[in-house]
Amino acid sequence: MITRHISTTTWKAASRSSVRFSRAGYGIVRLRALATLAEIVRSDDTFGIPVVDFGRFRTNDPAAKLSTAKEVVDAFKEVGFVYLSNHGIQDEKINNAFKKSKAFFDLPEEKKAALAWEDPRSNRGYVQQGRERVTQSSDAQEIAALREKAPDYKESMEIGRDWDATWKNQWPQEQDAPDFKSTFLDFFKTCHEFHTLVMRSIALGLSLPETFFDDKIQEQYHNLRLLAYPSIDTRLLKAEGSARAGAHSDYGTLTFVFQDSVGGLEVQNPHTKQFHAATPIPGTIVVNVGDLLARWSNDVLRSTLHRVVAPPAHNGPITPARQSMAFFCNPNGGAEISCLPTCLKEGEKPKYPTVQTEQYIVGRLRATYS
């Protein structure tokens, strides 16, 4: 199936007679008589992840900010994913982060193993290939069986806020990975600042004060994950139940995905349950809703299943190596997550009980790792 990316102007007005899509290859295709995003994504023939120009939110124009906020929230309501262009994070910074990430994963195994991930409360350090098995299951025996039968074909390095009084990051020696620590301390800070902006757009789009979330996320209780997917026999990836990362949702508020050009990320159409490729688009960041934000919004915003598989267009015997970086955004650790006031209709009850951020995320992580 051809991947489609819905342009920012696609669903703005029901009266428009045509819809613009940016397909793989970034040509423009027009489809008649589809006016709203809700109509577009309900069919696998027209499903796409919206592309929103976030530069318009970064202006001082209230009208531009509000219209962009509504586009972001509409994308999260119907798909759970969006591509943000003109996001303000410099290409040079992203490219340098990829370079330093690759240099780390190229280190000898014993150097990386010395930094091993140890505790879900910390969620910091190196995770060797096969240790994590992402899944929607919370049953320890089922996850162990899945890990044995079809492990995730990836390795990762987990980085948290560096000033935490209890949990410390696992940094490689400077001589082993020059500028690794300084690069990712800066990248972590940049992603948090971007998180604040995107959450402000969500607040406006949900008819909340723009700064509603500011004091609920300022502790930077986030996780930066560097990911390396080694080259692999394509037959292994296409075996039943196998994937570079199995189908799952994320845990927190938002996830920012920086991906290279290889591809393989797939997003489930929440309306039909079919998976579609999230083809890399240069200059964009893929952003998706996590489970805590879905709970916070009473499922007004969708936490959508996604996975990493062999790229759809790849038919060779060896699937090439892939790099990505995921910034998992979370509310403050002690934040109590309960239904937002604008996400509950009159007479309606919240779908979920109140949950504390740290307890929820640590519980999910504990089930995920062996």
Side-chain angles (χ1 to χ4, degrees), residues 70-84:
K70 290 185 179 298
E71 289 171 7
V72 170
V73 166
D74 281 350
F76 288 155
K77 285 180 177 179
E78 297 299 335
V79 181
F81 273 74
V82 70
Y83 292 91
L84 295 183

Side-chain angles (χ1 to χ4, degrees), residues 242-264:
S242 296
R244 280 180 153 169
H248 64 284
S249 59
D250 296 334
Y251 308 153
T253 51
L254 298 170
T255 304
F256 304 149
V257 181
F258 304 84
Q259 53 179 336
D260 66 10
S261 60
V262 172

Side-chain angles (χ1 to χ4, degrees), residues 104 107-116 126 172-173 175-176:
F104 171 79
L107 289 174
E109 193 62 35
E110 62 268 19
K111 296 279 188 181
K112 295 181 289 186
L115 308 172
Y126 172 69
Q173 295 295 314
Q175 64 266 28
D176 293 332

Side-chain angles (χ1 to χ4, degrees), residues 89-90 92-94 96-97 159-160 162-163 171 179-194 220 224 327:
I89 302 179
Q90 299 171 335
E92 296 80 18
K93 181 171 288 191
I94 297 171
N96 182 58
I159 299 168
D162 203 47
W163 62 90
W171 296 113
D179 300 324
F180 181 90
K181 180 177 179 178
S182 60
T183 294
F184 289 108
L185 285 178
D186 178 66
F187 198 70
F188 190 100
K189 178 176 179 290
T190 297
C191 288
H192 169 70
E193 291 168 350
F194 184 53
Q220 302 187 38
L224 171 59
F327 189 77

Side-chain angles (χ1 to χ4, degrees), residues 5-23:
H5 311 295
I6 308 171
S7 75
T8 185
T9 56
T10 298
W11 67 95
K12 281 184 178 178
S15 61
R16 296 195 174 183
S17 61
S18 64
V19 174
R20 291 199 301 164
F21 288 79
S22 173
R23 293 195 184 195

